[in-house]
Amino acid sequence: MSAQILDGKALAQHFEDEMRGRVEALKAKAGGRTPILATILVGADPASATYVRMKGNACRRVGMDSMAVELPEDTTTDQLLARIDELNNNPDVHGILLQHPVPAQIDERLCFDAISLGKDVDGVTCLGFGRMAMGEEAYGCATPKGIMRLLEHYEVPLEGKHAVVVGRSAILGKPMAMMLLEANATVTICHSRTRDLAGLVAQADIVVGAVGRPEFIKADWIKDGAVVVDAGFHPRKCGDIELGPLIDRVAAYTPVPGGVGPMTINTLIFQTLEAGEKAFS
Ligand code: NAP
């Protein structure tokens, strides 16, 4: 069997080309104004700084703008809340990204939830999550929403399928499970206290790896013909799923790198564009 590659890199490129046209049209309509994504980076973690820079660059590639807010490592929760409040009230800002993780002294959940719903283009607020889970309008959490856009583009059937999501984090596993449920999959969520993980994964028509451990999900747990989605990314360029032996016997898979990662950033800027379109309408 030759598996379909769920090519997030190529799809993100394709979507960027589409977005460029939409941004042009929007600018023409809005007297040259462009959607702006405010990115907030607290501290000097090099990986976070790189992610924030990549997000700003992606905005500019499609003709939008970004506003970089950089705060020192010793920022307090109150100081961060004050900056978020300023951005919420700034009519030139259409989306707000608070880069995760923030330093330990900050109440990250409180700060995420301070982002106003209309500017929550990264889909990190409890309100946005709750609305999404209820099937109401809200921006989706960027990584799982990016995965859903990828699955939709490649017309991967979800209805009635058994999806097993390994991981239950607020930014990935939980919203992923809710989105798959909304798409009428039957969903099992696994985590660190799950019993017989291998046995559950073996039942999956669709497996989502969102564990954060290199090649933790073993190839021989996964059944022939399954769809394999790997959100993990590790320095040795592998994901959370042992992909090598699967390539010849699954129906489709996301490569690592070049699968889920590019779709995350693409979804963030896509939702920023949508917020801009709403603001300028
Ligand atoms: P996280 O917050 O550390 O969550 C990891 C999840 O895995 C937790 O729910 C944890 O369960 C579960 N887990 C840990 N050990 C387990 C075990 N032995 N058996 C079963 N489940 C276990 O990580 P995350 O932020 O969701 O990220 C997960 C992965 O996705 C990482 O590799 C990360 O780099 C990647 N990621 C990629 C993108 C992207 O844009 N490509 C974005 C975000 C994350 P408990 O809840 O019980 O602790």
Side-chain angles (χ1 to χ4, degrees), residues 143 166-169 171-172 191-193 197 210-213 216 231-234 240 260-261 264:
T143 302
V166 188
R168 58 170 168 181
S169 72
I171 58 153
L172 185 44
H191 48 80
S192 64
R193 323 286 162 84
L197 181 63
V211 194
R213 294 184 182 199
F216 173 78
F233 180 62
H234 303 282
D240 290 349
V260 172
T264 297

Side-chain angles (χ1 to χ4, degrees), residues 226-241:
V227 172
V228 174
V229 176
D230 196 341
F233 180 62
H234 303 282
R236 63 173 210 236
K237 291 200 171 19
C238 70
D240 290 349
I241 301 177

Side-chain angles (χ1 to χ4, degrees), residues 153 176 186 192-193 201 231 258 273 281:
H153 176 82
M176 181 81 263
T186 301
S192 64
R193 323 286 162 84
V201 169
L273 172 57
S281 67

Side-chain angles (χ1 to χ4, degrees), residues 1 10 24 39 50 73 80 94 97 111 127 188 205 208 248 268 270 279:
M1 187 194 307
E24 277 291 305
T39 60
T50 301
E73 187 77 36
L80 181 52
H94 304 95
L97 165 96
C111 293
L127 182 57
T188 299
D205 301 310
V208 181
D248 292 329
L268 173 73
F270 177 74

